Amino acid sequence: SGLLRLGLQRGERVGIYLEKRFETVITSFGAAAAGCVFVPLNPLLKPEQVGFILRDCDVRVLVTSPQRLGTLAQVLRECPALRHVVVTGDVSTEALPASSGLQSLSWRQLLDGPPQDGHRVIDTDMVSILYTSGSTGQPKGVVLSHRNMVAGAKSVAGYLGNHADDTLLAALPLSFDAGFSQLTTAFHAGARV
């Protein structure tokens, strides 16, 4: 609902530059429920790499922490599609580029407000763009549909025999397909992760 109140349209991108935390998971599934596309960024990326991805897929909203935002001031002014920055802690406008026109709000502000229905989506609609590590050049975006995400979760839960009493350890970054799959597999099985 918070993303929709910011004016995000169906299929617009939501970048997530956070370590593993509740806000990372909530933003991922919230963007999907809103009919938007979530783009998890590896928390180990350097600011220039983050900027490349934000520009490459036209991220409209970036969710990050105050600490990470402090490292991104220069690259954010080079991201023309970016309109909003959601900060998990206190919002400090000094961290945003002065002439960027970016609007910042806190996580709490994003969550406040009445519920809204998400945009209509179908199973073949894009739900996420996961970026490769870029070991042989610039990172490349890999597009996943809602159907891809659900089929992957069902498949992994099936061959591993996962069930609701399981606890899965998400050892890999949630920005990698195998890392995010640990999350979706646990959610599909009703397990803890």
Side-chain angles (χ1 to χ4, degrees):
S1 294
L3 295 172
L4 294 169
R5 283 192 298 276
L6 293 178
L8 262 67
Q9 299 301 307
R10 181 176 184 231
E12 288 193 313
R13 286 28 163 198
V14 178
I16 307 165
Y17 186 45
L18 292 169
E19 63 279 4
K20 291 179 198 164
R21 50 192 291 169
F22 290 115
E23 293 92 343
T24 306
V25 176
I26 293 165
T27 303
S28 299
F29 287 102
C36 299
V37 176
F38 67 92
V39 182
L41 295 121
N42 187 332
L44 300 178
L45 292 179
K46 299 198 179 340
E48 299 75 28
Q49 296 167 305
V50 171
F52 170 80
I53 292 171
L54 297 178
R55 289 186 302 277
D56 187 58
C57 67
D58 292 329
V59 165
R60 289 274 190 226
V61 174
L62 175 64
V63 179
T64 192
S65 66
Q67 299 79 12
R68 292 179 187 283
L69 179 58
T71 68
L72 296 175
Q74 182 61 37
V75 300
L76 293 183
R77 67 174 51 105
E78 300 165 2
C79 299
L82 189 62
R83 298 289 180 262
H84 303 277
V85 177
V86 178
V87 183
T88 58
D90 294 330
V91 178
S92 170
T93 53
E94 296 97 38
L96 292 174
S99 62
S100 67
L102 290 173
Q103 295 181 346
S104 62
L105 63 154
S106 71
W107 179 256
R108 177 59 32 219
Q109 289 171 307
L110 182 73
L111 298 183
D112 286 344
Q116 291 188 284
D117 291 333
H119 298 289
R120 183 179 178 274
V121 295
I122 60 174
D123 62 343
T124 56
D125 284 344
M126 184 179 355
V127 71
S128 182
I129 303 174
L130 301 178
Y131 274 79
T132 64
S133 62
S135 57
T136 60
Q138 291 287 14
K140 293 159 190 66
V142 177
V143 175
L144 296 173
S145 69
H146 288 263
R147 184 187 301 166
N148 292 141
M149 196 73 69
V150 172
K154 283 181 178 179
S155 175
V156 174
Y159 73 71
L160 291 179
N162 293 123
H163 51 81
D165 293 330
D166 286 342
T167 300
L168 281 69
L169 174 64
L172 299 170
L174 299 179
S175 56
F176 292 149
D177 60 346
F180 202 82
S181 177
Q182 293 166 323
L183 186 65
T184 57
T185 298
F187 275 39
H188 175 73
R192 293 180 298 173
V193 61

